[in-house]
Amino acid sequence: MATRSLWRARAKFAAATTAILGGAAAATVATSDDPSRTLKLYTAVPVRLFRDTVTAASIALDYEYSLWGLAEESDERSRVKHEVHLRSARKLQELCFKNGGIYIKLGQHIGQLEYLVPQEYVQTMRESMLNKCPVSSYDQVCEVFKKELGETPDKIYAEFDHVPIASASLAQVHVARMPDGQKVAVKVQHTHMTDTAAADHATVELIVNTLHWVFPSFDYRVDPLKSEPELDFLVEAKNSEKCLENFRKLSPHVAPYVYAPKVHWSLSTTKLLTMEFMDGAQINDVTTIKRLGLPPHEVAKLVSEIFAEMMFKHGFVHCDPHAANLLVRPLPSSRKSILGKRKPQLILLDHGLYKELDFQMRTNYAALWKALIFADAKAIKENSVKLGAGEDLYALFAGILTMRPWSRVIDPAVDHLVIQGGDSDRSELQMYASQYFPQISELLRRLPRVILLMLKTNDCLRAVNNCLLQGSSLETFLIIGKISSEAVIEAKLSQKKSFLVCLNVWLDGILLEARLLGMQVALWLLRLKKALCL
């Protein structure tokens, strides 16, 4: 009876909330400068809000009812909890698909949080959100083409596959051939995307503002326009070219090992993007990667190097590096080694979400990672405070960045940040996240949006590393330590030119090389020990 009453109360709350907000939406439509678009927006908001509320209430009720009276740590509770996790993940998956837009992005991000959310959620989201999103019909695709280029795709390309090879939250991709026979990939924005994005953000804003009204201490209010997804494909195309140009100018030693598809500008608009078709293995397809003669640990090292260069030296970062957006292929100019191995080349796809770090933030972020790699507690605190974590939450910030508790972050052991990828590591991190949830919420409220996007990028890269290596590796941390340290040294040299300052920086560089060499020797010794044990 109590459960039934609880369900009725939640259902009434959902209906009342939707009705109230729907009335507010009607008033807004009446006074809007663009009534038709505003009407479309606010008829979508109550529907999404109602779905959100019902899904949340259903999941909460399922956990409460199913686990009631089951002893902690019992086998029965573990079995039931697994079933509830699975049911709840499917409900959340269904909500993401129904609402679309940024909800798909949310589902994709959950799929990267392997060490923070139950595995049932991670697996469900990974299987569905990366490249199995709902698709637009061919008629809808033709509608976009006629509006953008004045013709249907069959009249523009020599061949155009009506069935997309991939679909995501904002768009879907079709394979086509140019009149000269060149194979291309054509990215077409979903027809409903602009209005859906506005509705999604309006819904989120309404939920957050309502929570703040009921609970004043909960303050995550945001301007939805500032967090609206990038819907201009011409911006995406320019981002891809700027990314490669940065590597050519600022990181020429690694430039040949990173690639982005060339853009056909004459057949690209804000809602259409025609680009070179890329063949390669998806970054989480370890079987295919090995078949191509590419060692997974070399691929993992390359991914770490590419993104460390972007974050610490370029300050222009691809912030959506999940598995569907990263391909790998043998470097075209490389030859097979005696053992049949080849050097990898990383192909970056989907350049819609980039973020720029100004000089000071980029330098502080690099200095923080340098401190994390070398377990320098004083420098960790100093740079965490500079980035907005505060003197009370800097240790938690370091823990979120590394997915290690503070005791491990400052452990002088050479492999103190390495995550093995086992169940014990995962359980420890999930317990850590649960224990400090209020503090984590406060930290996320404080941090600048650009740093929040860096956290998202780290989550994606951590998931990629786990797929390739079944955990993290000391080598990837050595790469991060080297590049972040180089960035700090370059920043110091660019600001002050006196002889003494340059001499001091030069000595810092020598010390850095010595410390990195020591870590490398420690790595070799660990490998030797492992080999002898085998």
Side-chain angles (χ1 to χ4, degrees):
M1 182 64 71
T3 302
R4 188 176 301 171
S5 298
L6 179 64
W7 171 252
R8 286 175 179 170
R10 285 177 174 156
K12 288 178 180 178
F13 172 75
T17 303
T18 305
I20 292 170
L21 295 174
T28 305
V29 171
T31 58
S32 172
D33 294 331
D34 186 357
S36 61
R37 187 176 185 280
T38 308
L39 177 62
K40 187 182 291 186
L41 169 64
Y42 278 102
T43 51
V45 169
V47 173
R48 280 168 163 68
L49 185 61
F50 182 77
R51 286 179 189 148
D52 293 347
T53 309
V54 169
T55 300
S58 174
I59 290 174
L61 181 64
D62 196 357
Y63 277 102
E64 187 174 336
Y65 178 79
S66 300
L67 299 177
W68 182 269
L70 297 179
E72 292 286 348
E73 308 301 330
S74 68
D75 292 340
E76 177 66 10
R77 184 181 178 88
S78 297
R79 183 187 64 79
V80 172
K81 184 183 284 189
H82 165 72
E83 294 173 354
V84 179
H85 282 335
L86 200 56
R87 286 197 299 269
S88 299
R90 288 169 180 165
K91 290 174 185 175
L92 188 58
Q93 175 196 55
E94 185 180 2
L95 174 69
C96 291
F97 278 143
K98 283 184 177 178
N99 282 356
I102 62 170
Y103 290 85
I104 299 292
K105 290 286 187 185
L106 170 66
Q108 289 175 347
H109 189 47
I110 290 173
Q112 313 302 321
L113 301 178
E114 187 161 15
Y115 293 99
L116 294 180
V117 299
Q119 191 65 19
E120 292 84 354
Y121 286 86
V122 172
Q123 197 65 31
T124 299
M125 296 305 170
R126 280 189 184 177
E127 290 175 352
S128 59
M129 293 293 166
L130 291 183
N131 50 21
K132 297 181 183 178
C133 298
V135 302
S136 296
S137 67
Y138 181 65
D139 288 339
Q140 290 173 317
V141 170
C142 288
E143 181 184 334
V144 176
F145 266 88
K146 287 178 181 178
K147 185 176 180 181
E148 297 297 308
L149 298 176
E151 294 285 358
T152 60
D154 289 332
K155 293 183 179 180
I156 295 173
Y157 304 96
E159 297 177 19
F160 187 89
D161 193 340
H162 293 195
V163 179
I165 57 169
S167 183
S169 55
L170 305 183
Q172 60 193 45
V173 179
H174 295 257
V175 178
R177 286 195 182 274
M178 302 289 283
D180 63 1
Q182 183 182 358
K183 193 176 182 180
V184 293
V186 184
K187 187 173 181 179
V188 187
Q189 194 172 114
H190 295 309
T191 54
H192 62 278
M193 195 55 240
T194 302
D195 293 325
T196 301
D200 290 341
H201 287 291
T203 304
V204 171
E205 185 185 30
L206 284 170
I207 293 171
V208 169
N209 284 337
T210 301
L211 283 171
H212 175 69
W213 176 62
V214 177
F215 308 106
S217 61
F218 181 95
D219 191 4
Y220 288 85
R221 290 169 293 172
V222 295
D223 178 357
L225 296 177
K226 290 182 181 178
S227 55
E228 187 167 338
E230 185 55 68
L231 299 176
D232 188 339
F233 287 173
L234 292 179
V235 171
E236 176 178 340
K238 292 174 184 175
N239 285 344
S240 69
E241 293 193 342
K242 181 177 178 179
C243 173
L244 293 186
E245 184 65 16
N246 282 342
F247 277 100
R248 283 191 290 268
K249 288 183 176 180
L250 304 174
S251 309
H253 62 289
V254 75
Y257 300 95
V258 60
Y259 192 80
K262 293 178 181 177
V263 177
H264 292 260
W265 288 98
S266 62
L267 294 177
S268 298
T269 71
T270 58
K271 292 179 172 57
L272 285 173
L273 184 57
T274 303
M275 52 197 160
E276 178 184 6
F277 184 87
M278 305 306 305
D279 281 313
Q282 200 161 288
I283 201 73
N284 60 353
D285 187 354
V286 178
T287 302
T288 302
I289 288 173
K290 289 179 178 178
R291 191 168 65 244
L292 292 172
L294 305 173
H297 73 277
E298 290 294 334
V299 175
K301 286 167 56 179
L302 179 60
V303 171
S304 296
E305 186 172 10
I306 294 298
F307 279 87
E309 293 281 340
M310 280 195 276
M311 286 188 283
F312 306 136
K313 293 187 177 180
H314 306 175
F316 186 66
V317 186
H318 187 309
C319 291
D320 203 15
H322 59 67
N325 289 339
L326 301 178
L327 300 180
V328 64
R329 67 179 179 182
L331 182 67
S333 60
S334 70
R335 296 181 179 179
K336 287 185 178 181
S337 68
I338 298 176
L339 299 177
K341 304 299 182 183
R342 296 184 66 181
K343 294 181 179 180
Q345 184 183 59
L346 185 67
I347 302 171
L348 302 177
L349 305 178
D350 194 349
H351 298 261
L353 184 58
Y354 270 74
K355 205 65 183 177
E356 293 198 56
L357 286 76
D358 62 40
F359 177 83
Q360 198 59 52
M361 187 168 289
R362 173 171 61 84
T363 302
N364 291 338
Y365 192 59
L368 173 58
W369 268 105
K370 175 188 174 185
L372 290 168
I373 299 300
F374 295 118
D376 185 342
K378 181 180 177 181
I380 291 172
K381 179 179 180 180
E382 177 185 340
N383 290 286
S384 295
V385 171
K386 287 180 180 178
L387 291 169
E391 296 201 3
D392 55 333
L393 295 179
Y394 70 90
L396 181 62
F397 184 36
I400 289 176
L401 278 171
T402 60
M403 287 294 128
R404 301 274 72 189
W406 179 248
S407 59
R408 290 285 290 168
V409 170
I410 59 174
D411 188 332
V414 68
D415 59 346
H416 66 294
L417 297 182
V418 175
I419 299 173
Q420 300 301 330
D423 291 337
S424 59
D425 266 341
R426 186 177 294 113
S427 298
E428 179 186 15
L429 289 167
Q430 288 176 353
M431 181 182 68
Y432 189 68
S434 175
Q435 183 179 355
Y436 293 101
F437 183 78
Q439 292 91 335
I440 291 173
S441 298
E442 170 60 18
L443 176 64
L444 297 181
R445 186 190 68 81
R446 290 182 190 179
L447 293 173
R449 174 167 160 72
V450 65
I451 297 300
L452 294 179
L453 280 172
M454 292 303 102
L455 293 179
K456 173 184 181 293
T457 304
N458 285 337
D459 289 336
C460 292
L461 294 174
R462 191 176 292 112
V464 167
N465 254 296
N466 190 52
C467 288
L468 291 167
L469 305 173
Q470 298 305 306
S472 57
S473 85
L474 180 55
E475 285 180 291
T476 59
F477 286 115
L478 282 172
I479 290 168
I480 294 170
K482 182 175 186 298
I483 297 173
S484 62
S485 300
E486 289 173 351
V488 172
I489 290 173
E490 290 171 8
K492 288 179 179 178
L493 288 174
S494 69
Q495 287 182 305
K496 298 177 181 178
K497 302 294 183 180
S498 73
F499 174 76
L500 288 177
V501 170
C502 290
L503 178 62
N504 186 50
V505 172
W506 180 69
L507 292 174
D508 281 347
I510 293 176
L511 179 61
L512 164 67
E513 291 299 330
R515 294 174 76 178
L516 289 171
L517 179 60
M519 294 178 74
Q520 188 68 57
V521 170
L523 173 61
W524 291 333
L525 291 175
L526 286 173
R527 284 180 174 171
L528 178 61
K529 180 180 177 181
K530 184 177 179 181
L532 291 175
C533 289
L534 293 177

